[in-house]
Amino acid sequence: MIGTAALLLWPFSGWSLIPWLIGIGVLVLLRLLRLDGLLRGWVFHLGGFAVVVGLMYSTGPWAWALAASVGVLLAGLLQLPWWRLAAIGAVLCVVSGVGFGISTYRTQQQVAAADAQVQTELQGQQGATRPQGVLPILLNRIAQNVPGPVCSNLLAESARSAFVASTGRADCDSAVAAVASRVVDRGAYASAVAHTTQTATGFEVNACALTWPNGRQAGPQLGRLEIGRKNGGTSYYVAAFTPC
């Protein structure tokens, strides 16, 4: 009976071997403590019970119900043509199967939501550590035609949409490629400077008047950038973008 319960529960644990190792460990421990003689024929029962407990710990109530329903169904099938027990097992399998499916779906949704929250928090920490660093990082990534950091971390959603629209391209990756193709000096583009003013919500960078450190006009001109702090983070990014 204990062995049947363990075999029925095993698939729902993801075929984990840990509960079985625990059962073997219990048997070894009883042997080392010389309790196998005292327990007589109950040693393997205790080992099997440890396996079942481990499997139940790694699953959940709906998995237990579904495993029990499968057991009832199998017992009923072995008694055919007396079909009543098999019918009861089939009904129980349907009910517990629906419950198990809903429970699994909810668990997956919770895990996905937790992962999304972690990603949001991580993205909140990415970007520039200070507002003055946003423009050099942005220009460097554009000059090297590396759209990932630009589109994922350095531009807010509204700023990204405005940036893409200003290039007439379909998406952010192709927009970065379009601007990168017009960069005059890829090695020096990140050193271009622009007038920056502090506002009530952050900083405004006039990247429509980019110049090299020697005062000559740099190219291409990018746009007007509103620099703000990421929500929930300690880094800065482009909160709003206005084309030149």
Side-chain angles (χ1 to χ4, degrees):
M1 189 69 177
I2 294 178
T4 301
L7 291 175
L8 289 173
L9 282 171
W10 195 18
F12 299 103
S13 69
W15 304 103
S16 174
L17 294 176
I18 295 178
W20 297 93
L21 295 176
I22 293 175
I24 295 174
V26 169
L27 295 178
V28 172
L29 180 61
L30 293 175
R31 176 61 177 171
L32 292 176
L33 295 176
R34 300 184 181 277
L35 296 176
D36 51 338
L38 179 64
L39 294 172
R40 297 180 183 276
W42 289 95
V43 174
F44 288 100
H45 290 80
L46 288 176
F49 181 74
V51 173
V52 172
V53 171
L55 290 169
M56 293 180 68
Y57 181 79
S58 61
T59 54
W62 282 111
W64 309 342
L66 184 54
S69 300
V70 172
V72 173
L73 177 60
L74 292 175
L77 292 175
L78 292 175
Q79 296 183 26
L80 291 176
W82 292 278
W83 53 270
R84 293 182 184 275
L85 187 59
I88 294 173
V91 172
L92 291 176
C93 282
V94 171
V95 175
S96 58
V98 171
F100 178 75
I102 294 175
S103 176
T104 301
Y105 174 77
R106 287 178 176 175
T107 301
Q108 292 174 343
Q109 291 295 101
Q110 292 172 354
V111 172
D115 289 343
Q117 179 64 27
V118 170
Q119 290 300 321
T120 299
E121 293 175 356
L122 288 176
Q123 287 185 357
Q125 301 299 325
Q126 296 174 350
T129 56
R130 56 192 183 90
Q132 295 84 354
V134 174
L135 181 63
I137 296 175
L138 181 63
L139 296 180
N140 176 268
R141 298 295 84 189
I142 290 176
Q144 303 303 321
N145 192 16
V146 182
V150 175
C151 302
S152 300
N153 298 315
L154 292 173
L155 296 177
E157 184 176 355
S158 58
R160 184 167 60 249
S161 299
F163 170 68
V164 173
S166 71
T167 64
R169 299 302 176 95
D171 53 58
C172 187
D173 287 10
S174 58
V176 171
V179 178
S181 65
R182 297 187 286 113
V183 173
V184 177
D185 189 335
R186 296 186 184 278
Y189 194 49
S191 64
V193 295
H195 180 67
T196 301
T197 57
Q198 188 168 1
T199 65
T201 57
F203 294 84
E204 184 173 312
V205 179
N206 183 15
C208 288
L210 289 172
T211 59
W212 302 122
N214 60 13
R216 298 182 60 184
Q217 187 179 42
Q221 302 301 316
L222 190 59
R224 291 178 174 82
L225 317 176
E226 291 185 21
I227 308 300
R229 188 192 297 269
K230 285 193 172 186
N231 293 330
T234 58
S235 58
Y236 294 84
Y237 69 162
V238 180
F241 176 90
T242 304
C244 298

